[in-house]
């Protein structure tokens, strides 16, 4: 957390090319190694941060992006993705540690990244979704100055317990 609030001296300087060497051995997943070249467009990506590794015969095009912590209660994180959309969670291949910043690629002491999180998606053979028929109805108050926000009818005791399970102040 200390790095989150203390910026390195070169934090505004981002490299035009970041070279990634994938240290995994014997892993058959996406190859991450290669030269990622910074995109020149402004205001299109979060913090104007986007580096592209071009597609090769054996590897797909990949993007190094900054995924923001939208609520601003945590640090932003660099990701490597098969999509330019940082919210496309299925496309995120690697999430880099939140202490790493693109300027770290310029400093020999901070170039090595450890504890990167590699996505490991598995296919399901099958999945079923179901819903249950209910007698729920929701009504709003007839006048705007009512202290009542909504009235829910048709709830069983079990339904009420489920709805209030994380409510520590209700009785």
């Amino acid at each position: 957390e200390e790095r989150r609030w203390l910026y390195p001296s070169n934090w505004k300087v981002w490299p035009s090319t970041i070279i990634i060497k994938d240290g995994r051995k014997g892993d058959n997943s996406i190859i991450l190694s290669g030269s990622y070249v910074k995109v020149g467009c402004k205001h299109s990506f979060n913090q104007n941060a986007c580096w592209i590794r071009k597609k090769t015969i054996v590897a797909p095009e990949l993007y190094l992006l900054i995924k923001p912590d939208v609520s601003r209660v945590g640090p932003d994180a660099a990701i490597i993705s098969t999509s330019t959309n940082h919210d496309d969670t299925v496309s995120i291949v690697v999430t880099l540690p939140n202490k790493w910043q693109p300027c770290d690629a310029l400093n020999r002491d901070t170039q090595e990244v450890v504890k990167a999180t590699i996505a490991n998606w598995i296919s399901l053979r099958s999945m079923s979704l179901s819903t249950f028929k209910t007698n729920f109805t929701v009504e709003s108050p007839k006048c705007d100055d009512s202290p009542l926000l909504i009235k829910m009818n048709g709830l069983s005791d079990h339904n009420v317990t489920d709805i209030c399970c994380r409510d520590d102040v209700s009785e």
Side-chain angles (χ1 to χ4, degrees), residues 21-149:
K21 295 176 185 170
D22 188 350
R24 295 175 295 163
K25 301 232 187 299
D27 190 342
N28 292 331
S29 58
I30 291 179
I31 298 167
L32 302 173
S33 297
S35 293
Y36 291 72
V37 178
K38 189 155 185 343
V39 175
C41 45
K42 302 272 187 195
H43 313 294
S44 300
F45 298 97
N46 183 44
Q47 299 180 27
N48 297 325
C50 180
W51 289 262
I52 298 175
R53 189 209 54 201
K54 293 292 184 190
K55 179 181 179 179
T56 66
I57 295 170
V58 296
E61 187 165 79
L62 291 176
Y63 305 90
L64 176 63
L65 308 165
I66 303 292
K67 181 175 176 59
D69 181 302
V70 179
S71 63
R72 309 311 304 153
V73 296
D76 298 342
I79 60 168
I80 297 174
S81 177
T82 57
S83 168
T84 57
N85 181 352
H86 58 73
D87 285 329
D88 186 358
T89 56
V90 174
S91 298
I92 295 174
V93 180
V94 174
T95 302
L96 298 167
N98 59 25
K99 287 186 177 184
W100 187 86
Q101 298 174 16
C103 63
D104 291 339
L106 296 168
N107 182 345
R108 187 175 295 285
D109 295 335
T110 56
Q111 285 177 348
E112 186 171 342
V113 177
V114 294
K115 297 186 180 175
T117 304
I118 297 175
N120 187 18
W121 293 95
I122 57 171
S123 298
L124 295 176
R125 289 181 191 209
S126 68
M127 181 169 84
S128 65
L129 304 169
S130 59
T131 185
F132 304 97
K133 189 173 182 177
T134 66
N135 294 323
F136 293 171
T137 60
V138 179
E139 299 173 21
S140 59
K142 303 231 185 306
C143 56
D144 285 342
D145 60 350
S146 170
L148 186 65
L149 180 61

